[in-house]
Amino acid sequence: MASEQTFSDFKLATDLPAWKKLQSIYEKKGGKDFSVKDAFAKDSSRFANLSKTFQNYDNSKILFDFSKNLIDEEILSALIELAKEAKVTELRDAMFKGEHINFTEDRAVYHMALRNRSNKPMCVDGKDVAPEVDAVLQHMKEFSEQVRSGEWKGYTGKKITDVVNIGIGGSDLGPVMVTEALKHYSGPIKCHFVSNIDGTHIAETLKVVNPETTLFLIASKTFTTAETITNATSAKNWFLSKTGNDPKNIAKHFAALSTNEKEVGAFGIDTKNMFGFDSWVGGRYSVWSAIGLSVALYIGFENFDNFLKGAEAVDKHFTETPLENNIPLIGGLLSVWYNNFHGAETHLVAPFDQYLHRFPAYLQQLSMESNGKSVTRGNVFTNYSTGSILFGEPATNAQHSFFQLVHQGTKLIPSDFILAAQSHNPIENNLHQKMLASNFFAQAEALMVGKDAAQVEAEGATGGLVPHKIFSGNRPTTSILAQKITPATLGALIAYYEHVTFTEGAIWNINSFDQWGVELGKVLAKVIGKELDNKTTITAHDQSTNSLINQFKEWSA
């Protein structure tokens, strides 16, 4: 556990000199009263200095405009100083070397190796994992091409038309989001996803698929995840009931995304149709692995490969670019600035793109499961806030739901707006995309400039109506403008947010890669599950839980 010793020589971020310097700057510059409008007025080069353009491996570009944030050169310089004192680059380099930086579980954090399409050596515990990763990808390529072409057939000789991915957490959120985001690239296969243990989810999905033409992917690393295996068993029972109860037919209609060969075989799945990944792949980082098989089936392996290459290009940028121009690092530092000095508790991600409608939900797990921690790598409880509450919906819908709070509420809500310049669907002479873009630009501008009483009165408002129409402005946004949402662009955007999350955790000195917080509820659920199987009145819990369980048992009987 060398990483714990190497990177915990400071226990609390508040002990770092740069943290104290930033607190002093915040107080000196009036904190949230720092005026972005004034900063633009004083610096004609502000946009040029505070916007960064990422060039992907295919020469496509993404522009990250940080200039509407509550920072100037002094603040950004101090934030970068904080990153240096917190040894962000050392921890980053240790992660990319395969060291066990997830020290509470004694594991490497090496999802970057899954998108190592240059096939350079990447080692964990002295073993180069690149050949194994590539072998799994080649297996995914062969399998997905067989299914998509119709060479792979169901037990009655019919082509596969539908794929049902059964997983939970990262085994569901990643593939769901990516297949939705890249729907434009889809082919002959329809994809469905089941994650909720609520029987409605599997039942409604099974209503719309044909057992003769459906392939089920069971996504569980251990093949013991209770929710996933329960749903998978229900799917298997349904399949057998519809196909003559012959277990031999399972081999043509079920595949496993797992490493547990024994359990996969016991389930009835041919282990030749098993796609593995290593313990150093965390669930919320697993879409790059065999968990992405549904994506490869949906958009084709070439597009899936481009998706990986886009993320790999961001990895290269993150590891090789100086801190002053390092795009994910700047994004992470801004999050710390707002969370810990401005007291912002939330972070809005609003994609101005319908294909990205599941992107905020995906980022919720990435961010909040990673950094929802209160104990540092130095094994002490923090005395500062960690883990922003990330939320979002696609705009322009969001403008008619929660943007009121963002504009005129009492909370500071730093926001990321995402737009593609080129639409996949430029209908009505591109009218829709131009309207969408006008809102993308206008919302960021409005949040920055606001509207004062004089402007409101000049527009004709009088008396008590005036304060209701005032917008304070000076509300920070980061505008992310891509040329087009391609597989490579999406891969780059996800990797950007992964490294933003890493940077936050490194500054806060927490382990962003375990998730003990999901365990306690699961443990208690197993106990209660047994109690629900009998008619005995329950008295083993607190008064509220006992009463709720007993009422449920009475009503559900």
Side-chain angles (χ1 to χ4, degrees), residues 12-25 78 81-82 85 336-337 339-341 383-385 507-508:
L12 294 166
T14 46
D15 295 335
L16 299 173
W19 187 284
K20 296 178 173 66
K21 181 178 180 179
L22 281 161
Q23 188 63 49
S24 175
I25 292 172
E81 194 177 326
L82 178 66
E85 291 180 6
V336 171
W337 176 236
N339 189 314
N340 298 108
F341 298 92
N383 57 2
Y384 43 84
S385 173
I507 297 291
W508 291 325

Side-chain angles (χ1 to χ4, degrees), residues 375-496:
V375 177
T376 73
R377 299 178 68 85
N379 303 321
V380 298
F381 284 93
T382 67
N383 57 2
Y384 43 84
S385 173
T386 66
S388 297
I389 301 166
L390 190 147
F391 74 105
E393 283 291 328
T396 54
N397 284 5
Q399 295 171 200
H400 295 269
S401 57
F402 55 75
F403 267 43
Q404 170 64 46
L405 177 67
V406 181
H407 277 282
Q408 288 187 306
T410 58
K411 303 179 188 307
L412 180 72
I413 303 176
S415 304
D416 293 355
F417 293 165
I418 304 171
L419 175 73
Q422 300 172 33
S423 172
H424 287 295
N425 301 291
I427 61 175
E428 302 292 342
N429 196 30
N430 214 28
L431 171 65
H432 291 257
Q433 191 68 5
K434 289 177 182 177
M435 289 181 66
L436 186 68
S438 68
N439 281 276
F440 171 82
F441 300 125
Q443 288 292 340
E445 183 180 35
L447 284 164
M448 182 186 77
V449 302
K451 185 186 288 187
D452 62 23
Q455 291 172 293
V456 172
E457 289 170 350
E459 293 173 355
T462 59
L465 185 58
V466 172
H468 294 277
K469 291 194 169 186
I470 290 174
F471 291 75
S472 65
N474 212 45
R475 302 195 175 208
T477 57
T478 295
S479 296
I480 302 173
L481 179 62
Q483 287 181 287
K484 198 170 191 175
I485 302 300
T486 64
T489 301
L490 182 66
L493 286 173
I494 297 170
Y496 163 76

Side-chain angles (χ1 to χ4, degrees), residues 227-496:
E227 299 92 340
T228 298
I229 299 307
T230 299
N231 278 325
T233 302
S234 296
K236 181 175 74 170
N237 292 339
W238 171 85
F239 174 79
L240 290 172
S241 72
K242 299 287 186 180
T243 58
N245 288 307
D246 188 347
K248 292 197 300 294
N249 296 334
I250 291 175
K252 282 294 186 182
H253 292 269
F254 283 77
L257 317 180
S258 178
T259 56
N260 192 334
E261 186 172 342
K262 179 180 178 182
E263 290 296 330
V264 168
F267 188 87
I269 295 175
D270 186 343
T271 53
K272 292 179 182 178
N273 303 328
M274 185 174 119
F275 300 80
F277 48 102
D278 281 284
S279 62
W280 38 259
V281 181
R284 55 192 174 278
Y285 302 94
S286 64
V287 71
W288 318 103
S289 73
I291 293 297
L293 181 58
S294 58
V295 178
L297 286 161
Y298 189 63
I299 66 174
F301 187 82
E302 182 178 352
N303 284 320
F304 182 73
D305 197 45
N306 291 336
F307 170 67
L308 300 179
K309 288 176 180 176
E312 181 185 29
V314 171
D315 293 340
K316 181 177 174 65
H317 171 91
F318 186 54
T319 55
E320 297 180 2
T321 305
L323 301 189
E324 293 76 10
N325 294 306
N326 197 302
I327 297 171
L329 181 108
I330 293 171
L333 290 174
L334 285 172
S335 179
V336 171
W337 176 236
Y338 293 126
N339 189 314
N340 298 108
F341 298 92
H342 287 265
E345 296 181 343
T346 58
H347 185 123
L348 166 63
V349 177
F352 284 66
D353 190 304
Q354 185 59 30
Y355 282 132
L356 293 177
H357 71 106
R358 294 295 292 166
F359 195 53
Y362 174 80
L363 295 182
Q364 284 175 347
Q365 185 193 25
L366 172 63
S367 176
M368 293 193 283
E369 190 169 80
S370 294
N371 288 341
K373 314 288 172 60
S374 56
V375 177
T376 73
R377 299 178 68 85
N379 303 321
V380 298
F381 284 93
T382 67
N383 57 2
Y384 43 84
S385 173
T386 66
S388 297
I389 301 166
L390 190 147
F391 74 105
E393 283 291 328
T396 54
N397 284 5
Q399 295 171 200
H400 295 269
S401 57
F402 55 75
F403 267 43
Q404 170 64 46
L405 177 67
V406 181
H407 277 282
Q408 288 187 306
T410 58
K411 303 179 188 307
L412 180 72
I413 303 176
S415 304
D416 293 355
F417 293 165
I418 304 171
L419 175 73
Q422 300 172 33
S423 172
H424 287 295
N425 301 291
I427 61 175
E428 302 292 342
N429 196 30
N430 214 28
L431 171 65
H432 291 257
Q433 191 68 5
K434 289 177 182 177
M435 289 181 66
L436 186 68
S438 68
N439 281 276
F440 171 82
F441 300 125
Q443 288 292 340
E445 183 180 35
L447 284 164
M448 182 186 77
V449 302
K451 185 186 288 187
D452 62 23
Q455 291 172 293
V456 172
E457 289 170 350
E459 293 173 355
T462 59
L465 185 58
V466 172
H468 294 277
K469 291 194 169 186
I470 290 174
F471 291 75
S472 65
N474 212 45
R475 302 195 175 208
T477 57
T478 295
S479 296
I480 302 173
L481 179 62
Q483 287 181 287
K484 198 170 191 175
I485 302 300
T486 64
T489 301
L490 182 66
L493 286 173
I494 297 170
Y496 163 76

Side-chain angles (χ1 to χ4, degrees), residues 121-166:
M122 295 187 75
C123 297
V124 175
D125 299 327
K127 177 186 176 183
D128 181 8
V129 300
E132 182 181 341
V133 167
D134 192 60
V136 173
L137 285 171
Q138 294 311 312
H139 188 195
M140 292 170 65
K141 180 178 188 289
E142 178 186 30
F143 183 81
S144 61
E145 289 178 349
Q146 286 179 340
V147 173
R148 284 168 61 87
S149 69
E151 180 184 347
W152 179 286
K153 292 179 173 59
Y155 80 103
T156 61
K158 294 181 180 179
K159 294 180 180 179
I160 297 298
T161 60
D162 294 80
V163 168
V164 178
N165 186 91
I166 300 177

